[in-house]
Amino acid sequence: MLHLRLITPADKTHDVVRLIEKMVGTTHLVVLPGAARNPAGDVVLCDVAREAGDELLSRLQGLDLDKSGSIAVENIDLSLSRRADKAEAEAPGEGADAVLWEHLTDATHEESTLSITYLAFITLATMIAACGVVLDNAILIVGAMAVGPEFGPLAGICTASVKRAPRLALRSLIALLVGFAVAMAATVAFSYFMDAVGLFTEAKLEAERPNTGFIYAPDWFSFVVAILAGAAGTLSLTSAKSGALVGVAISVTTVPAAANAAVALIYDDAKQTWLSTGQLLLNLLGIVLAGTLTLLAQKWLWARQRERQAKAGGV
């Protein structure tokens, strides 16, 4: 269930209340006349089944409530109410399958913003991965994958492609490109330092690496895994199952490939540099392609769901 807190101008409260009352999947409606001060107006509270949430939000925006008032949405972790159970039963579909497009846009906007924290995480992740490739240590590689924040901008690009939001696409692309550029440049400097103190050596990089050799060996399996991970990551975002993102993060070779390219660069190993870069680009392409197709499929399925709901007499 979702909890909505609305601030409505007095002249729109009647329309908002009427909409909520007729909407399938809503309950616990509360109206507080004149309770809002900034902006001035009435406060309307209600709960709505997640599967009906996107439709209700779209219609509230159709009343320009996001411009003249306020729309705030919260997840309800626990609701002990027969009315809530009835509302969820009446709403079409399953809550786990519902996509809140506004929430997705807002979340990807935040995650795809180029910030000091984002740059710090992706740089540290790449440095950890650099240690992993030199030591042929799979544990360090997995750790670096989990730390890397690059899925945020990738999800932003997918969302922007489906919603046709060029600003979000540009913001995400800048965060992705600048993030990897800064991380690889910093890792090059870090690798020079580690080489100077004798912790990194060319012999270690060029030696047989059974645990991390896959990082600079792009093939069809790399692309297939990227496709699967992109679909899983997108589903985890749209279904609010954020825990699945950890599994996505440690299944795709993006940060480790960037790290391997950076280390290989200081030893003039053109082969590993180019192959690692190819691995990185191949995985990024697979994630974006799968994420975009997943969102398009979800959008189409929910459009069909709304059509069936309209035919059944729901608002």
Side-chain angles (χ1 to χ4, degrees):
M1 293 290 288
L2 303 173
H3 178 68
L4 271 62
R5 186 189 71 244
L6 314 173
I7 297 179
T8 70
D11 59 336
K12 291 188 176 182
T13 301
H14 175 75
D15 293 334
V16 170
V17 171
R18 182 177 175 82
L19 170 63
I20 294 173
E21 288 177 336
K22 295 179 64 178
M23 188 78 193
V24 173
T26 60
T27 187
H28 303 155
L29 177 61
V30 177
V31 181
L32 305 174
R37 292 292 181 268
N38 183 22
D42 305 328
V43 174
V44 178
L45 308 173
C46 74
D47 295 341
V48 59
R50 182 180 175 86
E51 52 268 41
D54 188 63
E55 176 71 12
L56 179 57
L57 291 175
S58 297
R59 291 182 177 273
L60 289 172
Q61 288 177 296
L63 295 174
D64 291 331
L65 197 58
D66 54 325
K67 300 175 183 177
S68 59
S70 170
I71 304 174
V73 182
E74 299 176 341
N75 279 307
I76 299 176
D77 295 327
L78 177 64
S79 180
L80 301 178
S81 168
R82 290 186 178 180
R83 290 183 178 273
D85 295 341
K86 181 181 179 182
E88 288 186 317
E90 291 176 346
E94 293 294 333
D97 298 332
V99 181
L100 297 177
W101 291 100
E102 291 301 324
H103 178 270
L104 179 62
T105 302
D106 184 70
T108 52
H109 181 279
E110 181 179 352
E111 293 294 328
S112 62
T113 299
L114 185 63
S115 63
I116 299 299
T117 301
Y118 171 81
L119 290 176
F121 269 117
I122 196 169
T123 299
L124 291 172
T126 308
M127 289 180 177
I128 293 171
C131 296
V133 298
V134 172
L135 296 175
D136 191 33
N137 189 315
I139 295 176
L140 291 177
I141 295 298
V142 171
M145 289 176 169
V147 173
E150 73 279 4
F151 190 80
L154 292 171
I157 293 174
C158 298
T159 304
S161 300
V162 174
K163 296 202 67 176
R164 298 179 182 178
R167 289 187 179 181
L168 177 59
L170 181 61
R171 177 189 294 269
S172 302
L173 186 61
I174 290 174
L176 190 67
L177 296 180
V178 174
F180 272 112
V182 170
M184 292 178 73
T187 303
V188 167
F190 172 72
S191 300
Y192 273 119
F193 169 77
M194 295 292 281
D195 179 73
V197 298
L199 295 177
F200 281 11
T201 63
E202 185 174 3
K204 290 181 179 179
L205 181 72
E206 301 298 340
E208 290 291 327
R209 290 191 281 154
N211 294 320
T212 60
F214 67 92
I215 292 173
Y216 57 95
D219 55 20
W220 280 108
F221 273 108
S222 301
F223 188 67
V224 169
V225 171
I227 289 287
L228 298 175
T234 303
L235 286 173
S236 72
L237 287 177
T238 58
S239 64
K241 294 185 180 297
S242 57
L245 279 178
V246 177
V248 172
I250 63 176
S251 63
V252 185
T253 313
T254 50
V255 165
N260 199 82
V263 177
L265 189 63
I266 74 166
Y267 294 119
D268 296 323
D269 187 335
K271 180 180 179 181
Q272 284 202 42
T273 300
W274 284 111
L275 287 176
S276 300
T277 303
Q279 178 80 281
L280 173 62
L281 295 176
L282 185 66
N283 281 281
L284 295 178
L285 175 63
I287 292 173
V288 170
L289 179 62
T292 302
L293 292 177
T294 300
L295 289 176
L296 286 172
Q298 288 180 294
K299 186 177 182 180
W300 179 80
L301 288 172
W302 275 97
R304 293 290 301 274
Q305 186 69 56
R306 285 183 178 180
E307 290 177 5
R308 288 194 293 267
Q309 180 183 353
K311 292 179 179 178
V315 175

